[in-house]
Amino acid sequence: MGFNETDAANAAKAELRMQQALATSHVERDDYIDTTAAEPLTKKDINHMAWRSLALQASFNYERMQAGGWLYTILPALRKIHKNPEDLKNSAQMHMEFINVHPFDVTFLSGLVLAMEQSKEKISTIRAVKVALMGPLGGIGDAMFWLTWLPICAGIGAALALEGSLFGPIVFLLLFNALHFGLRFGLAHYGYRAGLGAISALKANTRKISHAASIVGMTVIGALVASYVRLSTPLEIHAGKAEIALQADVLDKLMPNLLPLVFTFLMFALMKKGYSPVKLIGVTVLFGLAGKFFGFL
């Protein structure tokens, strides 16, 4: 049997469909293929997640912060929730995005996220809730643990140690970790239960909640820019006998933290052009060294 024009046309159409399928296979889905709610997680699953959260910062880096440890924390539960391999892949890819939260109260967020994953909420909604809560949880954790509980426990332990008691470090470790582990496991179960209780409201107001969470998330990111990006210049403008400090008298009068904002937008523009975060970190280091050496930063 010969290969006629009809066969050639059909082959061409099949090749075109294959190329279109390959092109669209890399487009991120916002919903899961299997939208049926998964079986509830057990107390053992939640406790397992809480134990794994101890490794949250094991792969900490300046590109994605705690993303590797975050995914490690919730991965067994995600495998139980998502039976469809494509759904599991999409979920894992989303959870490998940048996240930075306090390591002691992170289980509240992971419990809440697992409840949303179990009900198969939209990926964008889960992402928005993560971004919206990681900042407040970081502030609460710092105030509760580093600024309050740690000094109290350290003070008690140090007082005993100064008196020659061997129980000083033991008391410190016992007191500090009693609250630490109590909250780590307690918040894991509370976050999961709170997420389950809010599922009906989430489903009824998904767009509103996603929009509100996105606004809060963008506000948090804006605050992080002002807090994390430190950039100033010592340059002065000389006009006759007058000396005008470029930073204090000009830039800060226009807008406080203007240089960090401009630098952040520059990094964002370079990322949009395909520069990797690692390359941008290198550019930032070189820019900082050059600025210090030549005296304009």
Side-chain angles (χ1 to χ4, degrees), residues 51-112:
W51 277 116
R52 289 172 72 95
S53 70
L54 291 168
L56 178 70
Q57 304 200 98
S59 63
F60 187 93
N61 60 82
Y62 288 103
E63 181 177 351
R64 303 184 184 217
M65 292 292 184
Q66 302 162 332
W70 166 264
L71 180 58
Y72 174 81
T73 298
I74 62 176
L75 188 55
L78 291 180
R79 287 194 175 119
K80 185 174 181 179
I81 290 170
H82 297 296
K83 303 300 183 183
N84 185 291
E86 191 68 21
D87 287 345
L88 179 60
K89 184 189 78 171
N90 289 336
S91 177
Q93 285 180 339
M94 184 269 289
H95 287 300
M96 271 300 293
E97 295 172 359
F98 175 95
I99 185 172
N100 189 25
V101 67
H102 197 281
F104 289 177
D105 60 13
V106 64
T107 51
F108 172 78
L109 180 57
S110 53
L112 179 62

Side-chain angles (χ1 to χ4, degrees), residues 180-199:
H180 163 210
F181 281 98
L183 280 179
R184 184 178 291 271
F185 284 84
L187 288 175
H189 290 276
Y190 179 75
Y192 181 67
R193 290 195 304 269
L196 290 179
I199 290 304

